[in-house]
């Protein structure tokens, strides 16, 4: 897997040398290349921005500089990713698709963003172009989204995460539920006992308790996720847990939150 990141702040991507991502790179499982956009400027001042057409606050990144940079990096089969607050949500499904792609190029904007013709141009050339947002808040540029993307994608690559079971049991996996709470020793800490069922040695009871916890957490914190779960994936025990929280079930509407 290759990921190119283009930024006017390449030092911002320094954490990609660390931890699991750094290890994956050194192991040759992941080829991450960080580029300085200003390497593709040709003027004395290495200018990457200009005033917005139509007026308004701030500056816009010039399409000509981005075009020179991306022409040298985008190939047949590349997915071009542009972080922007007006993009589609970056989710675990997005990360999974990108991990299955051989090559991703991330174009990190700053200021008021990148001239919109850049995305249009590469789409017209048949490139898959994805404008992505991490969530409903505004950052100063695309670099943090690039860090998130690389980490989320890298850990899905074969051999990067030591125990592949930790990939399937996680929040935002296929089940569409949040993860259950986890505990370790000591069994009592500052007067707080761990749930006794986890020390019972009764595997089936542990599994049921964890499922209940996942359902309760998802219902209370992320009802939007639970509403997406197909009814046939909720068994009688599941429905009892949710009914206690005021949820109902309908052939057409699926799981319906209280109120
Ligand atoms: C200028 O919030 B963000 C984001 C914000 C940005 C740019 C890119 C992404 C470019 N501001 O994800």
């Amino acid at each position: 897997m290759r990921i190119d990141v283009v930024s006017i702040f390449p030092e911002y991507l320094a954490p990609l040398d660390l931890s699991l991502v750094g290890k994956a790179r050194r192991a040759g499982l992941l080829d991450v290349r960080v580029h300085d956009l200003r390497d593709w400027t040709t003027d004395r001042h290495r200018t990457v921005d200009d005033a917005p057409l139509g007026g308004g606050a701030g500056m816009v990144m010039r399409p000509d500089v981005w075009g020179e940079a991306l022409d040298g990096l985008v190939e047949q089969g590349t997915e071009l990713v542009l972080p922007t607050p007006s993009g589609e949500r970056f989710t675990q499904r997005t990360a999974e698709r990108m991990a299955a792609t051989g090559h991703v190029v991330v174009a990190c904007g700053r200021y008021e963003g990148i001239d919109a013709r850049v995305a249009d141009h590469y789409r017209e050339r048949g490139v898959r172009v994805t404008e992505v947002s991490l969530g409903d808040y505004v950052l100063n540029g695309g670099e943090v989204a690039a860090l998130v993307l690389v980490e989320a994608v890298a850990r899905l690559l074969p051999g990067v995460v030591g125990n592949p079971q930790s990939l399937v049991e996680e929040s935002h996996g296929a089940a569409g539920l949040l993860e259950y709470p986890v505990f370790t020793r000591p069994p009592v800490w500052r007067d707080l006992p761990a749930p006794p069922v986890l020390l019972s040695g009764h595997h089936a009871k542990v599994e049921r308790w964890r499922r209940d916890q996942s359902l309760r957490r998802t219902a209370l914190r992320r009802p939007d996720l639970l509403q997406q779960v197909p009814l046939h994936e909720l068994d009688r025990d599941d429905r009892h847990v949710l009914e206690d929280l005021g949820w109902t079930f309908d052939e057409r509407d699926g799981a319906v939150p209280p109120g």
Side-chain angles (χ1 to χ4, degrees), residues 59 61 82-87 107-114 132-146:
M59 297 291 271
M61 297 192 103
L82 298 105
T84 165
S86 36
C108 300
R110 281 268 154 178
Y111 316 114
E112 301 308 312
I114 302 173
V132 300
S133 165
L134 297 182
D136 295 338
Y137 40 80
V138 180
L139 304 172
N140 290 327
E143 285 78 9
V144 167

Side-chain angles (χ1 to χ4, degrees), residues 1-3 20-21 24-25 28-32 92 95-104 149-164 167:
M1 175 89 197
R2 175 164 160 184
I3 306 178
L20 178 131
V21 169
R25 294 171 73 185
L29 300 170
L30 174 64
D31 180 9
V32 179
Q92 192 64 22
E96 285 164 2
R97 189 186 72 230
M98 290 176 182
T101 302
H103 186 211
V104 171
L149 182 153
V150 172
E151 183 156 322
V153 170
R155 58 196 304 290
L156 297 176
L157 301 175
V160 172
V161 169
N163 178 2
L167 293 177

Side-chain angles (χ1 to χ4, degrees), residues 30-220:
L30 174 64
D31 180 9
V32 179
R33 302 185 196 183
V34 178
H35 311 271
D36 187 342
L37 178 67
R38 293 191 202 276
D39 290 350
W40 284 277
T41 59
T42 51
D43 66 313
R44 242 174 66 77
H45 296 103
R46 311 224 293 166
T47 311
V48 297
D49 61 339
D50 202 344
L53 294 178
M59 297 291 271
V60 174
M61 297 192 103
R62 290 165 50 159
D64 55 345
V65 177
W66 273 110
E68 289 302 316
L70 297 176
D71 282 351
L73 296 172
V74 170
E75 301 178 283
Q76 194 77 20
T78 298
E79 178 161 356
L80 175 59
V81 179
L82 298 105
T84 165
S86 36
E88 60 189 74
R89 213 25 121 46
F90 181 86
T91 68
Q92 192 64 22
R93 304 291 90 77
T94 320
E96 285 164 2
R97 189 186 72 230
M98 290 176 182
T101 302
H103 186 211
V104 171
V105 175
V106 188
C108 300
R110 281 268 154 178
Y111 316 114
E112 301 308 312
I114 302 173
D115 185 303
R117 290 170 293 185
V118 173
D120 294 340
H121 171 76
Y122 288 95
R123 280 193 192 102
E124 282 174 12
R125 275 175 49 175
V127 176
R128 179 164 206 161
V129 178
T130 313
E131 297 179 74
V132 300
S133 165
L134 297 182
D136 295 338
Y137 40 80
V138 180
L139 304 172
N140 290 327
E143 285 78 9
V144 167
L147 290 171
V148 167
L149 182 153
V150 172
E151 183 156 322
V153 170
R155 58 196 304 290
L156 297 176
L157 301 175
V160 172
V161 169
N163 178 2
Q165 256 319 102
S166 24
L167 293 177
V168 286
E169 289 181 4
E170 279 171 337
S171 289
H172 301 295
L177 300 177
L178 300 185
E179 187 60 283
Y180 49 80
V182 294
F183 301 83
T184 186
R185 281 173 284 274
V188 180
W189 176 75
R190 297 191 181 181
D191 288 337
L192 293 171
V197 65
L198 301 181
L199 294 115
S200 70
H202 196 308
H203 179 69
K205 279 188 180 172
V206 168
E207 289 305 294
R208 187 61 244 174
W209 182 87
R210 287 176 169 169
R211 175 82 180 171
D212 292 355
Q213 292 293 311
S214 284
L215 288 162
R216 296 179 66 87
R217 268 194 169 181
T218 311
L220 294 171

